[in-house]
Amino acid sequence: MRFLKDLWRILRGDKGALIGGIIVLLYCLMALIGPWVVPLSNEQDPANAYAGPSWSHPLGTDALGQGVLSQIIVGSRPIMVVGLLAAIITVFIGVTVGLLTGYIGGWFDTLVMRITDIFLTIPGLPLIIVLAAFIQTTNPVVLAIILSITAWAGLARSIRSQAMSLRSSDFIEAAKLQGVPLRNMIFRQLLPNVGPYVAIHFLLAITGAIYAQVGLFLLGIAPISGTNWGIMINLAMAQGALYTTDSALYLFAPMAAIVILQVAFVFFSRALDSVFNPRLRVQ
Amino acid sequence: MTTYILRRLGMALVVILVVLTMSFFMVRLMPGNPMDALAAQLRAQGGLTEQDIQNRLNAVYGVTPTAPVWQQYLTYIGNAFRGDLGVPITNPGTTVVAIIAEALPWTIIVVAFALIISFVIGVAIGAAMAAFQNTWFAKVTTFFVSVLSAIPNYLVAIILLYFFTGVWQIFPSGGAYGVDVTPGFNAEYLKSVAWHAVLPIAATVITSFGGWALAMKGSAISVLGAEYVRAAESRGLSPRRITQSYIGRNSMLPMITQLALSIGFMFGGSVFIETYFQYPGIGFYLIQSVNQRDYSLMMGCFLLITVSVIIANLLVDLLYPLVDPRIARPATRKKAEVQADKSVPDEGLGAGGTMA
């Protein structure tokens, strides 16, 4: 409750963050109920191809005469679901590894951190592309795992450094004396103290996953099936949208959808930052 | 200092070995792996003896498919370290290394220029934002910089392509230099190269300088509040000395750490940039080989991108002690490392999808 109150106060003061939060919420609603509300028929209507904006198709139609706006709405769900799954995986691994290594220390820390460093060094996107090319999956969970293959490493390192400074604090000493088991120590004692940091990184992990995921569809590396924003841009480019003005809306509408969502996430995450970091509020 | 260098070198070698191992297992051991697939395809074509097929596979992947796995592995690693990455499936007349050797310089040119330009612009803007915080300048700049850094680079590439090669046709839409110039050290050629690199570099800079600006701003503001700055002020040091040696140098430390991380992101992002601008760098060939199912070339590109990133990281690591001497001394290393981990600002990391 306290958290929501704080969040609301900050959001009222920071218009950018408020608008960002509202937009993120709207996108979530769109992904949740959009596909049920907006009909996307499989019927093609070539007579109606590249129509301009009209009452029935507010953003015009594509090469097959299907509404661009309804495709954007239907296409939001796969993108958001995979982005969310990837962020959950990234944050879960990053936090667990970071807290364990930071708390336990010693050779365990050295060993795991060396492995983490390897993942930190390997460029993420090329690895994702290569894996996606080999695996060719349409399963959202598998795609999310591929997308988070290296993203957890940076989070693990920064969580570790926070856990290391928490380790010497009084309440951890007290818990240790009480003989609290490791599980409790990690998830009950340490986790709440890094919670804020994790929340912000969760949002940023979503934006990172959406970036990489749309990129995969854009380049046609992930299998092109169904409807999502990346596939829309891919098809628009393949149909020569760059050199005809006909399909400009079909190309730019999904791009705008992505940009607005990414910007909204970044602005909203800034508000969370000030909720959790009272120091930033004073400045 | 020597231990520090040796440690970093050792780490770089380990990462290269890990990536080589990964690529070996992906090509050779995954169910329905490319090597078996190629063998089946050659068999289906008919007219080839089993020996021919084995020879062909050997040429493409550099290993003998019938040998035990550990022997194939050792051969593969040995070949890779000798600079033999096999033959592209789609173009058996050349070698993977030859294609990569031609492509890599273009990628390095674009990545290096884009990185330097966005770093300089970003750090300058970030420092200005920190110096004039709470003014309208800082607020407006922060807004624009946050928006720009949140836009995926491939979308900026598409927009630049749309306007500068489609609508206005100012810049060329592909290639690294024009067909009418002779490669060599002459003004015409260099001009053409620069002209072709403008859009790829611009697309990268537009989306990445914002991250640097935000990171620098955060870092500089946190240094501004530090006790040693207050101490320096109360000692009556000149403002110039304080900004240069106390604030400037210390707020640059996390920037340098991030430089190492961002090199990987830049090489990753260049895959999109090069593909859209049809710029014949290594990312362009990576995507082309993926689309043509040319796995030997694909793994070669992936390996070389990784190795370039590792070498670039190594350079940053080796230069880092010049900025932060603590890192090379065993007694203070731990402290400096932990501080570096902590001070990587969140804002700069996730923006523009650089997490990936």
Side-chain angles (χ1 to χ4, degrees), chain A residues 16 90 109-110 113-115 117-131 133-136 147 150-151 154-155 157-158 160-162 164-165 197 200-201 204-205 207-216 218-221 233-234 237 241-245 248 251-252 254-256 258-259 262-264 266-267 270 273 277 279-280 283, chain B residues 7 11 14-15 18-19 22-23 26-27 30 33-34 133-134 142-144 146-156 158-159 161-163 165-167 169 173 214 221-222 261 264-265 267-269 271-272 275-276 286-287 290-291 293 295 298-299 302 305-306 309-310 313 333-334 337-338 341-342 344-347 349-356:
Chain A
T90 303
D109 174 45
T110 316
M113 270 306 124
R114 286 289 154 267
I115 298 170
D117 281 344
I118 293 175
F119 278 93
L120 209 55
T121 318
I122 299 174
L125 204 58
L127 181 60
I128 290 173
I129 288 172
V130 166
L131 283 176
F134 273 114
I135 298 175
Q136 287 292 319
L147 290 173
T150 60
L155 181 63
R157 259 209 168 275
S158 37
R160 166 180 172 264
S161 70
Q162 297 187 21
M164 280 169 76
S165 53
Y197 193 77
I200 294 156
H201 261 268
L204 295 178
T207 65
I210 290 179
Y211 164 80
Q213 180 200 358
V214 171
L216 287 184
L218 224 57
L219 299 176
I221 292 161
I233 301 175
N234 180 315
M237 295 286 285
L242 282 183
Y243 303 102
T244 62
T245 42
L251 174 65
F252 285 123
M255 284 170 62
I258 297 164
V259 169
Q262 298 287 65
V263 173
V266 168
F267 275 76
R270 272 231 305 272
D273 211 8
N277 279 338
R279 232 166 21 124
L280 280 176
Q283 286 164 357
Chain B
R7 274 172 57 108
M11 190 64 198
V14 169
V15 182
V18 167
V19 174
M22 264 171 29
S23 94
M26 277 196 274
V27 171
M30 281 207 345
N33 68 65
Q133 47 172 321
N134 298 325
T142 306
F143 176 81
F144 277 110
S146 315
V147 170
L148 277 182
S149 65
I151 300 177
N153 53 8
Y154 42 77
L155 297 187
V156 172
I158 292 176
I159 292 173
L161 269 177
Y162 187 82
F163 286 108
T165 69
V167 179
Q169 309 194 338
S173 64
L214 292 175
I221 285 180
S222 70
L261 289 176
F265 300 140
F267 269 93
V271 171
F272 294 119
T275 303
Y276 275 125
L286 176 68
I287 300 303
V290 167
N291 287 330
R293 303 270 170 269
Y295 291 98
M298 178 174 107
M299 290 327 290
F302 172 64
I305 291 178
T306 311
V309 170
I310 293 169
N313 275 342
R333 200 191 71 230
K334 269 255 143 59
E337 268 179 359
V338 169
D341 279 351
K342 255 190 208 166
V344 172
D346 330 327
E347 277 184 308
L349 256 182
T354 40
M355 288 270 290

Side-chain angles (χ1 to χ4, degrees), chain B residues 232-276:
Chain B
E233 278 166 355
S234 48
R235 267 167 66 204
L237 294 179
S238 71
R240 205 186 132 154
R241 176 126 186 244
I242 293 175
T243 21
Q244 276 181 358
S245 344
Y246 286 73
I247 300 171
R249 201 166 161 173
N250 281 303
S251 51
M252 282 302 281
L253 284 183
M255 297 296 101
I256 306 285
T257 318
Q258 228 181 332
L259 201 60
L261 289 176
S262 69
I263 291 169
F265 300 140
M266 296 290 269
F267 269 93
S270 73
V271 171
F272 294 119
I273 303 288
E274 286 172 6
T275 303
Y276 275 125

Side-chain angles (χ1 to χ4, degrees), chain B residues 36-47:
Chain B
D36 292 348
L38 183 63
Q41 193 192 332
L42 291 173
R43 254 177 229 123
Q45 274 174 11

Side-chain angles (χ1 to χ4, degrees), chain A residues 99-100 103-104 179-188 190:
Chain A
L99 289 181
L100 278 174
Y103 174 69
I104 297 175
V180 163
L182 183 67
R183 237 183 108 115
N184 179 307
M185 195 64 121
I186 298 293
F187 291 105
R188 286 284 173 80
L190 289 171

